[in-house]
Amino acid sequence: ESSTVNYANMTFGQGIATSMMRMTSSMSAVINGGTLYQPHLVDYQVKPDGTVINNQPEVLAEGVVSPETSAEIRKMMADSVQAGGGYAVNQRVPEHNLGGKTGTAEIPDENGGYKSGSYIGSFIGFAPVDEPRYIVMVRVDEPDTIFGYAGSAAGGPVFGDIMEWLVKYEGVSPSD
């Protein structure tokens, strides 16, 4: 039955549709200790007279996960990147302690199945691991790389490039 297949697919993240913004917001709550914030794209505004208005994030929910669970998930995601799940990330930002997760999904077709050989490769990651300040998600539709279509091959290198630029631009100190 279709619903049985849907439940099975959900265990590995397939059969669920969401936006990159919602995925990033959810992951942020998981890694920040359990607080879900209303996503926003503008950090601050400058009025014509030079007055700066800081946009404080709105808290939507607290305790999404416990601080202990959050710390454990951050550690697992950091271990995953260091163990080779993020080989493209390690090559670009080797001195920083990053965490991340790959994603590979088949692309649905109009008949309720999946397009043969068509994938979405994604990578979502953050830095630094102990006190996350930055989270980045990359999605590549139907990647065509010599390294493959999986999230580590398609999204990982782009994430690595973005995070390398970000930690340098923001002056984030290398990890111990």
Side-chain angles (χ1 to χ4, degrees):
E1 182 172 308
S2 174
S3 63
T4 304
V5 171
N6 287 342
Y7 286 128
N9 286 350
M10 284 185 222
T11 63
F12 57 89
Q14 191 156 314
I16 302 170
T18 189
S19 69
M20 289 176 64
M21 182 66 82
R22 187 165 305 261
M23 178 66 76
T24 304
S25 176
S26 300
M27 181 60 73
S28 179
V30 169
I31 65 168
N32 75 17
T35 302
L36 178 64
Y37 294 98
Q38 174 67 43
H40 65 280
L41 299 176
V42 178
D43 190 30
Y44 62 90
Q45 301 170 43
V46 180
K47 289 184 162 188
D49 67 4
T51 305
V52 176
I53 302 171
N54 289 312
N55 294 329
Q56 297 301 315
E58 176 187 348
V59 174
L60 297 178
E62 294 184 12
V64 173
V65 297
S66 70
E68 296 79 18
T69 298
S70 179
E72 188 63 30
I73 291 172
R74 287 194 312 269
K75 182 183 181 314
M76 287 189 290
M77 292 177 78
D79 289 348
S80 174
V81 168
Q82 296 304 316
Y87 64 90
V89 175
N90 287 340
Q91 292 171 354
R92 287 166 171 77
V93 199
E95 69 279 5
H96 285 79
N97 196 5
L98 308 175
K101 176 71 181 94
T102 63
T104 307
E106 295 175 284
I107 296 177
D109 67 20
E110 59 277 354
N111 300 319
Y114 294 97
K115 293 181 184 178
S116 178
S118 294
Y119 300 93
I120 297 170
S122 63
F123 193 97
I124 188 167
F126 59 94
V129 169
D130 292 333
E131 293 183 35
R133 291 173 44 201
Y134 308 103
I135 185 166
V136 173
M137 182 173 184
V138 174
R139 172 184 161 158
V140 183
D141 289 9
E142 299 190 61
D144 184 20
T145 73
I146 61 170
F147 302 111
Y149 57 82
S152 59
V158 178
F159 170 83
D161 286 346
I162 293 168
M163 195 56 76
E164 178 185 32
W165 174 85
L166 184 60
V167 296
K168 287 179 181 175
Y169 180 79
E170 291 291 324
V172 177
S173 297
S175 302
D176 292 336

